[in-house]
């Protein structure tokens, strides 16, 4: 073998070995540089700790495969990329597979498979799009997953976002929330999220039928127990307390129990009505009068830094009521008419508990204001649209007064906040006051350790409606007359997660992914040019080095 051939063989061997070594190092030390502006490929610390603590393999069966439009292909790719990152951070204890739910050989098998997914909790979405040929297609898809560990499994619905932003905006928000939704499923599967939520009974709170949806929603993630203040000498052992639409006044003893629970680092979620409607059915007749509801909680909330105003906020962006508009023969004609006392709330703050939340449905809401409270951070969560009208107490509520007079130009009071988050070291209501009888001064805490309070000026946000035909409870956020499902359930779960989340996992909802859309008009007009460039440029780049070397050798060795 000549010296030149030997040198070429050695060089080739060194190059092959170097490539092999680089691949081995890359496989052993899996690192990546996230050069994106919004750090799209960087896992949050809380999720990284969760993944690093896993001891058993967790499998994701994702039902987003098959023929999909380009935007859902992007969503599919984002899910795969996120799960790849999870696998890397967990030491390959995360694995996944994409499945097309419509691949069943016949319609019956496909229908049965769809039904099984819905029973397991994976929510379907009806997708309408145009294929490459321009034909309009409709397809039922399941943008979610079943997450399993051994024999345990939980659903993860991944298409979470505000429908008010349009299909592209909602998909982008879903991509932003992927890390949190996937991690929450793992957390639930690991049994680490079974916190104890206390539901305060008595005082005319919502009855058992009206909180069926609330109870089912909370029990899907947490332990839920009833709390009777009358039978308690102290509130302890609860990660959060929920007070939902009370109608009766609280005694000083009851308030003291809640106050001291908060002082010891507790978390309380208030859903309160500032006004009371004596007879809701009478709104279809001459009307009724809403008067202040005396709960004896004003001074306590005021001390914590919040006040619920005694008013109603009417919003043009609202739900509808069925109204009989006439008869044809003996059959009544029913029409759905916009009713501004039923606001559809779509404006939320950037706080992780409500960011990218879809619309929620309220009913007879009141404005919530903040007042001075030292050391308390106040964050608005929910705001009405800008087209509102504020009516102070007493409020006449009559459907006939507004059915023909819903003029947007009259709704000029601007956005109003109806939900606040308070965080910090609260000062007790009973600081510098005599505490109620039966309690020991030695155990009194006048300034607490850090806690959290959320106050919403609407008790009906967590009340489920009743099916007018069957009399059965509907799901939380389901509107009975149109069948529309609002995001009340997601809102409840998100705020509870923020209140009880010690790991900081909820912060993963702060991820932001910017949309950088292409100019569709420019793409269409310059399509041929860019296709030519994409086809020719790689060929030219390959030929140029060869031509340059040929020219150099010809010039060097030419006689």
């Amino acid at each position: 073998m000549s010296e030149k051939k030997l040198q070429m063989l050695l060089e080739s061997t060194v190059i092959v070995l170097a490539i092999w070594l680089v691949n081995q190092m890359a496989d052993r030390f899996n690192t990546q540089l996230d050069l994106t502006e919004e750090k799209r490929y960087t896992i949050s610390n809380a999720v990284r700790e969760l993944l690093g603590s896993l001891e058993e393999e967790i499998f994701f069966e994702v039902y987003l495969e098959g023929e999909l439009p380009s935007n859902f292909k992007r969503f599919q790719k984002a899910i795969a990329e996120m799960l790849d990152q999870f696998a890397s951070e967990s030491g390959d204890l995360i694995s996944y597979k994409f499945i097309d739910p419509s691949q069943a050989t016949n319609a019956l098998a496909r229908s049965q498979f769809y039904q099984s997914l819905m029973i397991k909790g994976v929510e379907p979405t009806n997708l309408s799009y145009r294929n490459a040929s321009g034909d309009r297609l409709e397809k039922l898809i399941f943008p979610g997953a079943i997450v399993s560990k051994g024999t345990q499994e939980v659903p993860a619905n991944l298409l979470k976002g505000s429908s008010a932003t349009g299909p592209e905006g909602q998909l982008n928000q879903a991509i932003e929330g992927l890390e949190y939704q996937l991690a929450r499923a793992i957390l639930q599967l690991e049994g680490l999220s079974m916190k104890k939520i206390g539901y305060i009974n008595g005082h005319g709170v919502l009855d058992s039928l009206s909180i069926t949806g609330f109870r089912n929603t909370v029990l899907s993630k947490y332990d839920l127990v009833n709390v009777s203040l009358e039978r308690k000498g102290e509130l302890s052992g609860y990660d959060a307390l929920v007070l939902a639409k009370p109608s009766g006044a609280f005694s000083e003893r009851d308030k003291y129990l809640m106050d001291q629970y908060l002082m010891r680092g507790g978390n309380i979620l208030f859903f309160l009505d500032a006004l009371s409607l004596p007879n809701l059915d009478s709104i279809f007749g001459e009307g009724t009068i809403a008067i202040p509801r005396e709960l004896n909680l004003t001074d306590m909330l005021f001390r914590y830094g919040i006040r619920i105003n005694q008013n109603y906020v009417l919003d043009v962006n609202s739900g509808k009521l069925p109204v009989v508009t006439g008869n044809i023969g003996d059959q009544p004609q029913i029409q759905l008419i916009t009713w501004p006392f039923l606001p559809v709330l779509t404006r939320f703050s950037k706080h992780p508990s409500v960011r990218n939340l879809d619309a929620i449905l309220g009913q007879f809401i009141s404005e919530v204001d903040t007042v001075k409270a030292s050391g308390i951070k106040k964050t608005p969560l929910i705001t009405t649209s800008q087209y509102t009208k504020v009516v102070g107490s007493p409020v006449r509520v009559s459907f006939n007064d507004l059915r023909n007079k819903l003029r947007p130009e009259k709704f000029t009071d601007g956005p109003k906040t109806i939900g606040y988050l308070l965080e910090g070291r609260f000062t007790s209501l009973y600081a510098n006051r005599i505490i109620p009888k039966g309690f020991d001064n030695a155990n009194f805490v006048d300034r607490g350790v850090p806690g959290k309070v959320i106050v919403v000026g609407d008790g009906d946000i967590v009340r489920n409606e009743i099916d007018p035909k069957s009399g059965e409870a509907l799901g939380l956020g389901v509107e009975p007359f149109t069948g529309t499902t609002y995001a009340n359930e997601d809102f409840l779960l998100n705020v509870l997660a923020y209140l009880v989340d010690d790991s900081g996992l909820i912060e993963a909802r702060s991820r932001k992914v910017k949309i950088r859309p292409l100019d569709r008009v420019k793409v269409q007009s310059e399509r041929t040019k860019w296709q030519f460039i994409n086809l020719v440029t790689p060929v030219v780049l390959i030929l140029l080095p060869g031509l340059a070397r040929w020219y150099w050798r010809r010039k060097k060795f030419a006689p």
Side-chain angles (χ1 to χ4, degrees):
M1 182 180 293
S2 66
E3 183 178 345
K4 188 174 181 180
K5 288 184 177 180
L6 180 61
Q7 183 180 355
M8 291 180 63
L9 179 62
L10 289 174
E11 288 178 356
S12 299
T13 304
V14 169
I15 292 173
V16 171
L17 288 174
I19 294 174
W20 177 83
L21 181 61
V22 169
N23 284 325
Q24 291 297 312
M25 295 292 289
D27 185 61
R28 182 178 295 272
F29 304 103
N30 190 1
T31 60
Q32 64 180 16
L33 293 176
D34 188 353
L35 301 180
T36 59
E37 179 184 352
E38 61 270 20
K39 297 301 177 185
R40 182 181 304 186
Y41 303 106
T42 301
I43 298 293
S44 65
N45 291 331
V47 175
R48 185 176 289 112
E49 290 178 7
L50 171 64
L51 296 173
S53 67
L54 298 180
E55 297 180 354
E56 296 181 52
E57 183 177 356
I58 292 179
F59 181 68
F60 285 78
E61 195 169 89
V62 187
Y63 303 102
L64 196 62
E65 186 60 274
E67 183 182 351
L68 297 168
S70 59
N71 53 359
F72 272 86
K73 283 290 187 184
R74 183 170 72 95
F75 186 39
Q76 181 193 58
K77 181 181 178 183
I79 296 171
E81 289 174 346
M82 184 62 67
L83 289 174
D84 284 337
Q85 292 183 70
F86 277 27
S88 175
E89 295 289 345
S90 66
D92 291 327
L93 288 177
I94 300 291
S95 59
Y96 66 91
K97 178 182 180 181
F98 281 84
I99 294 176
D100 181 3
S102 64
Q103 66 183 353
T105 55
N106 58 69
L108 178 60
R110 185 161 51 249
S111 176
Q112 290 176 341
F113 186 59
Y114 287 172
Q115 190 67 28
S116 69
L117 289 179
M118 288 186 280
I119 291 174
K120 290 179 180 180
V122 182
E123 299 171 358
T125 295
N126 191 34
L127 182 63
S128 178
Y129 65 100
R130 293 188 183 276
N131 61 12
S133 303
D135 298 325
R136 172 67 64 179
L137 300 177
E138 288 195 3
K139 184 178 182 179
L140 191 67
I141 64 170
F142 290 80
I146 293 295
V147 190
S148 59
K149 182 183 72 171
T151 58
Q152 298 175 274
E153 61 181 31
V154 296
N157 290 296
L158 306 178
L159 188 58
K160 297 290 187 180
S162 175
S163 57
T165 61
E168 290 296 332
Q170 186 178 19
L171 269 178
N172 194 71
Q173 291 178 356
I175 292 173
E176 291 176 341
L178 277 178
E179 180 183 357
Y180 174 70
Q181 297 298 338
L182 295 171
R184 189 172 75 169
I186 295 174
L187 193 67
Q188 185 181 358
L189 200 60
E190 290 289 289
L192 302 176
S193 62
M194 296 304 290
K195 304 284 187 175
K196 183 183 286 188
I197 308 299
Y199 179 77
I200 297 178
N201 278 326
H203 307 89
V205 298
L206 293 171
D207 58 47
S208 57
L209 187 60
S210 297
I211 63 164
T212 301
F214 166 87
R215 186 173 296 278
N216 292 338
T217 298
V218 176
L219 283 173
S220 69
K221 308 293 181 184
Y222 307 101
D223 285 334
L224 180 65
V225 295
N226 292 324
V227 177
S228 176
L229 297 179
E230 295 179 358
R231 302 177 183 177
K232 292 284 186 180
E234 179 184 87
L235 295 177
S236 61
Y238 306 105
D239 295 287
L241 294 177
V242 178
L243 181 58
K245 196 178 170 66
S247 58
F250 285 74
S251 68
E252 293 300 317
R253 182 184 183 280
D254 297 335
K255 291 160 58 178
Y256 182 82
L257 287 172
M258 292 188 290
D259 176 89
Q260 290 300 288
Y261 164 78
L262 181 62
M263 294 306 110
R264 290 178 169 83
N267 307 292
I268 308 179
L269 183 52
F270 293 96
F271 295 99
L272 304 176
D273 286 345
L275 303 180
S276 173
L277 284 169
N279 185 2
L280 187 59
D281 293 334
S282 64
I283 65 172
F284 293 104
E286 297 181 357
T288 186
I289 302 296
I291 59 176
R293 173 168 281 171
E294 184 50 59
L295 301 177
N296 194 30
L297 295 175
T298 302
D299 56 348
M300 185 170 75
L301 295 177
F302 198 90
R303 176 61 64 89
Y304 300 156
I306 206 76
R307 177 183 64 203
I308 303 179
N309 294 333
Q310 294 181 343
N311 58 27
Y312 278 152
V313 181
L314 284 65
D315 197 327
V316 169
N317 185 27
S318 56
K320 298 181 178 182
L321 281 181
V323 179
V324 177
T325 57
N327 290 280
I328 297 180
D330 58 351
Q331 296 297 319
Q333 299 302 297
I334 298 176
Q335 182 180 352
L336 291 173
I337 298 179
T338 300
W339 179 236
F341 284 101
L342 307 177
V344 176
L345 304 164
T346 60
R347 299 182 58 158
F348 306 97
S349 71
K350 298 300 183 182
H351 190 270
S353 64
V354 292
R355 187 171 179 270
N356 292 342
L357 194 66
D358 206 350
I360 61 178
L361 182 64
Q363 180 173 316
F364 299 107
I365 63 175
S366 298
E367 182 184 9
V368 179
D369 275 339
T370 59
V371 294
K372 185 177 180 180
S374 177
I376 301 302
K377 178 183 177 183
K378 309 176 186 74
T379 305
L381 296 180
I382 313 173
T383 307
T384 64
S385 78
Q386 61 180 322
Y387 304 106
T388 64
K389 181 179 180 180
V390 178
V391 184
S393 171
V395 181
R396 175 180 169 82
V397 182
S398 172
F399 186 79
N400 292 330
D401 288 347
L402 287 172
R403 62 181 298 180
N404 297 318
K405 301 177 183 179
L406 186 57
R407 301 171 183 171
E409 64 272 14
K410 300 293 184 181
F411 290 67
T412 58
D413 289 332
K416 300 298 177 183
T417 302
I418 67 151
Y420 264 98
L421 163 68
L422 312 176
E423 301 173 278
R425 297 184 61 202
F426 293 90
T427 300
S428 171
L429 171 64
Y430 297 91
N432 303 317
R433 289 175 60 174
I434 298 175
I435 67 174
K437 293 181 179 180
F439 294 101
D440 189 351
N441 276 297
N443 296 324
F444 172 68
V445 179
D446 63 346
R447 186 164 176 81
V449 297
K452 302 170 189 172
V453 170
I454 292 177
V455 179
V456 179
D458 180 14
D460 293 294
I461 280 182
V462 290
R463 178 182 65 83
N464 57 258
E465 298 287 351
I466 309 300
D467 189 317
K469 295 181 179 179
S470 67
E472 297 179 353
L474 297 172
L476 188 60
V478 177
E479 203 282 319
F481 306 110
T482 65
T484 304
T485 299
Y486 293 91
N488 297 46
E489 180 177 306
D490 289 336
F491 169 68
L492 175 61
L493 289 177
N494 286 352
V495 293
L496 280 176
Y498 184 76
L499 291 181
V500 306
D501 182 19
D502 297 329
S503 66
L505 185 65
I506 190 71
E507 294 298 332
R509 297 192 81 246
S510 299
R511 178 184 292 273
K512 185 175 180 62
V513 178
K514 292 184 178 180
I515 300 178
R516 296 175 173 87
L518 296 174
D519 186 330
R520 295 183 181 274
V521 175
K522 191 173 182 180
V523 167
Q524 188 64 31
S525 64
E526 300 182 4
R527 180 177 181 180
T528 303
K529 181 183 77 172
W530 288 107
Q531 284 178 334
F532 178 78
I533 291 173
N534 288 333
L535 285 172
V536 174
T537 302
V539 177
V540 172
L541 291 176
I542 292 173
L543 291 176
L544 279 178
L547 291 172
R549 182 175 177 82
W550 171 80
Y551 178 78
W552 174 79
R553 288 177 61 85
R554 183 168 178 237
K555 186 175 181 180
K556 180 177 180 180
F557 298 107

